[in-house]
């Protein structure tokens, strides 16, 4: 048995772990980017709702109180999403769980706003489900620097 053969035998176990880590790193990056994007959009959405912008449908009934209250909820949720994105990118287990909880809260918020904007709400819900999947399946892995 030559040194080339022993190197290939020891390298096969590492080669199998490599592509899984690479795929997992992509999902975690995707989850962080989507959390950041949704967070920024929710902050803008919340500020516009607090200011009673003409962007919103005025005769829509919300589950939680009125448009002003819903704006504060979205503003706080958006700030949590931005913090969760940074925490996910830090790569620790707390970031994974924090991101899952915040994406879950955002998906509930998206479903509660279906009466006002059905297609947007369902699109946000679908993205949140993908974020939860990415973090639950691959969020706990340590990424090499």
């Amino acid at each position: 048995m030559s040194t080339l053969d022993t190197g290939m035998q020891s390298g096969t176990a590492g080669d199998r772990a490599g592509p899984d880590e690479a795929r997992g790193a992509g999902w975690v990056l995707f989850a962080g980017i989507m959390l950041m994007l949704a967070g920024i959009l929710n902050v803008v959405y919340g500020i516009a709702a607090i200011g009673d912008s003409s962007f919103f449908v005025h005769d829509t009934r919300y589950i939680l109180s009125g448009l002003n209250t819903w704006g504060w909820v979205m503003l706080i949720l958006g700030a949590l999403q931005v913090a969760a994105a940074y925490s996910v990118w830090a790569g620790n287990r707390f970031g994974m769980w924090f991101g899952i909880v915040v994406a879950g809260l955002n998906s509930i918020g998206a479903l509660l706003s279906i009466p006002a904007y059905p297609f947007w709400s369902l699109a946000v819900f679908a993205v949140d489900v993908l974020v939860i999947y990415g973090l639950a399946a691959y969020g706990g892995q340590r990424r090499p620097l």
Side-chain angles (χ1 to χ4, degrees), residues 32-86:
I33 290 171
M34 288 295 113
L35 279 170
M36 179 64 75
L37 183 64
I40 291 170
L41 289 174
N42 279 339
V43 166
V44 171
Y45 180 78
I47 290 171
I50 292 168
D52 292 326
S53 175
S54 62
F55 169 76
F56 298 99
V57 179
H58 292 288
D59 60 348
T60 302
R61 295 187 182 265
Y62 291 92
I63 305 273
L64 294 173
S65 189
L67 183 61
N68 195 353
T69 304
W70 192 247
W72 281 106
V73 168
M74 286 293 112
L75 181 66
I76 292 167
L77 188 58
L80 287 174
Q81 286 175 312
V82 170
Y86 283 116

Side-chain angles (χ1 to χ4, degrees), residues 14-35:
D15 289 343
R16 276 186 254 145
D20 288 338
E21 279 186 28
R23 186 175 68 218
W27 273 104
V28 172
L29 181 65
F30 170 79
I33 290 171
M34 288 295 113
L35 279 170

